[in-house]
Amino acid sequence: MRNVSSKNKELFILGISSILITLFLFFIDEGNYDFNWVAEPFVWIIFLIYAVPIFLGQLLVSKVMLKNISQTNKMLLSILIGSVIGITCTIGILFSGFLN
């Protein structure tokens, strides 16, 4: 039973961290330093386009790359490395059409 709650806790922490990272990115976007974007429904779609890959990157790192590491180190590394992977993949996919 404890194993199930541990997995849910891990998913919760990764989900919250991906949302917080995306909120920070949207806060500093283009030097606006505000949250006025929350009133625009279309921007929430863009928010999900960033938050979901960050979460998936964190989950991938946690489940595949860091199987045999202690839980605390695993969470920290999953958040850091997975966020970089998720952001890089998102930006790469979104802007790949503009480079051609």
Side-chain angles (χ1 to χ4, degrees):
M1 188 72 169
R2 181 178 176 168
N3 203 12
V4 173
S5 66
S6 174
K7 288 181 181 183
N8 288 339
K9 182 180 176 184
E10 180 182 4
L11 291 176
F12 179 76
I13 291 171
L14 293 177
I16 292 297
S17 68
S18 65
I19 289 170
L20 290 174
I21 290 167
T22 308
L23 281 171
F24 175 72
L25 291 174
F26 275 56
F27 177 75
I28 64 171
D29 183 37
E30 298 179 20
N32 289 334
Y33 302 106
D34 60 32
F35 286 106
N36 291 334
W37 59 268
V38 297
E40 300 177 35
F42 177 73
V43 179
W44 283 102
I45 296 169
I46 305 301
F47 182 89
L48 289 174
I49 290 173
Y50 278 89
V52 170
I54 292 172
F55 174 74
L56 293 175
Q58 293 172 345
L59 194 61
L60 174 75
V61 170
S62 176
K63 298 295 182 189
V64 176
M65 296 174 65
L66 304 174
K67 288 182 186 178
N68 302 322
I69 295 181
S70 70
Q71 190 64 25
T72 304
N73 292 335
K74 181 178 180 179
M75 290 306 296
L76 290 172
L77 289 172
S78 295
I79 290 170
L80 293 173
I81 297 169
S83 297
V84 171
I85 291 171
I87 292 168
T88 304
C89 289
T90 303
I91 291 173
I93 290 169
L94 290 176
F95 293 108
S96 64
F98 295 115
L99 298 177
N100 294 330

